[in-house]
Amino acid sequence: MKNIIIASTSTLHGGDYLDYLLPELKVHFKDCKTILFIPFARPGGISYEEYTSKVALAFGKIDKNVKGIHEFEDVTKAITNAEGIFTGGGNTFLLVSQLYKNNIMKVLADAVKGGIPYLGTSAGSNICGLTMQTTNDMPIIYPPSFQTLGLIPFNLNPHYLDPDLESKHMGETRETRINEFHSFNNAPVLGLREGSWLDVKGDAIVLKGDLTARLFRKNLLPIEIDSETNVNYIK
């Protein structure tokens, strides 16, 4: 049975890394002593070692050990033998490229579908959808495919932002960009605001947090989804 937390972000304003999620993570990873961390997205270009140390500090608060996937000679075995897995945020293009380069996109998908507890934040959440095409990131590297894990039957837009009516900025809003996506693609897109996450247990996909999420479907007006709603009907 799938057991997944798909979070919009790792850090809320004024808080430390993963702090707002730690009570959930303590339960989510209750049977795990060590978490396998996938640092491939490298936010700000930090090294795998720096990123893994940052994650280890956060998970140490709930008495969990962390080991980076780059520390293993056989990355496939690292995934299949993992007690729990966390993929952090950063650049989704880089993350997806590295998953394909290491031939572990399908391995990771199968492991999570098989029940290994998984946490994704930001880029690590983007890859839970059907494709990475609704990421906000710059294409700093060219992945061989936009297809991702397909753990949920729609796409995500983490860090979703509503238009700022006071702003003088005349560029595209997130809603505009998602509408552009729907000019060429059919997959629904769920905009996850900061502090929101999806709790996936088997076939249930429940929106968590204090905020609503915004659902975009091709040729339909967007709608707001209330927290605690099971969104497994979105396809």
Side-chain angles (χ1 to χ4, degrees):
M1 183 177 83
K2 287 185 289 189
N3 185 14
I4 311 168
I5 291 179
I6 304 172
S8 177
T9 189
S10 61
T11 312
L12 292 182
H13 178 71
D16 290 332
Y17 188 77
L18 291 180
D19 264 5
Y20 81 103
L21 277 174
L22 287 180
E24 297 288 331
L25 300 183
K26 190 169 185 177
V27 176
H28 185 63
F29 290 119
K30 62 183 172 62
D31 296 323
C32 306
K33 181 179 178 181
T34 301
I35 310 299
L36 177 70
F37 177 53
I38 300 177
F40 291 158
R42 297 180 60 195
I46 64 173
S47 70
Y48 292 160
E49 291 76 14
E50 287 178 281
Y51 202 1
T52 303
S53 294
K54 180 178 182 177
V55 170
L57 190 64
F59 272 98
K61 297 175 183 178
I62 55 171
D63 299 317
K64 304 297 179 185
N65 299 317
V66 171
K67 192 160 185 182
I69 197 170
H70 60 287
E71 301 174 51
F72 291 84
E73 187 173 335
D74 189 328
V75 293
T76 296
K77 283 186 178 178
I79 290 173
T80 56
N81 293 334
E83 298 174 281
I85 301 171
F86 170 36
T87 304
N91 188 280
T92 310
F93 288 89
L94 181 56
L95 170 59
V96 171
S97 296
Q98 289 300 307
L99 291 174
Y100 276 114
K101 181 179 179 180
N102 286 279
N103 297 312
I104 52 174
M105 183 68 81
K106 186 177 186 304
V107 174
L108 180 58
D110 289 345
V112 179
K113 288 173 183 176
I116 294 177
Y118 177 87
L119 166 66
T121 61
S122 190
S125 293
N126 260 322
I127 62 171
C128 292
L130 298 172
T131 75
M132 59 160 287
Q133 288 168 279
T134 47
T135 178
N136 303 307
D137 300 326
M138 288 186 176
I140 63 172
I141 194 169
Y142 188 48
S145 172
F146 290 148
Q147 186 173 345
T148 46
L149 300 175
L151 302 175
I152 53 176
F154 49 87
N155 270 17
L156 292 168
N157 181 244
H159 310 289
Y160 178 77
L161 290 173
D162 296 292
D164 180 357
L165 300 180
E166 301 297 320
S167 175
K168 303 296 190 293
H169 175 65
M170 299 302 293
E172 300 94 339
T173 63
R174 294 286 170 81
E175 185 164 330
T176 299
R177 290 176 174 176
I178 294 170
N179 288 336
E180 291 169 350
F181 167 80
H182 278 145
S183 295
F184 296 93
N185 303 275
N186 295 321
V189 181
L190 189 66
L192 275 181
R193 296 181 173 94
E194 303 288 68
S196 297
W197 67 94
L198 298 177
D199 186 11
V200 182
K201 295 288 189 293
D203 294 329
I205 308 169
V206 179
L207 177 65
K208 295 288 185 176
D210 296 330
L211 303 173
T212 59
R214 194 159 177 83
L215 174 61
F216 299 87
R217 290 175 289 189
K218 187 168 184 173
N219 298 325
L220 294 173
L221 292 174
I223 61 172
E224 292 293 319
I225 306 291
D226 290 331
S227 183
E228 300 300 328
T229 300
N230 186 348
V231 296
N232 65 353
Y233 65 89
I234 303 173
K235 290 182 173 67

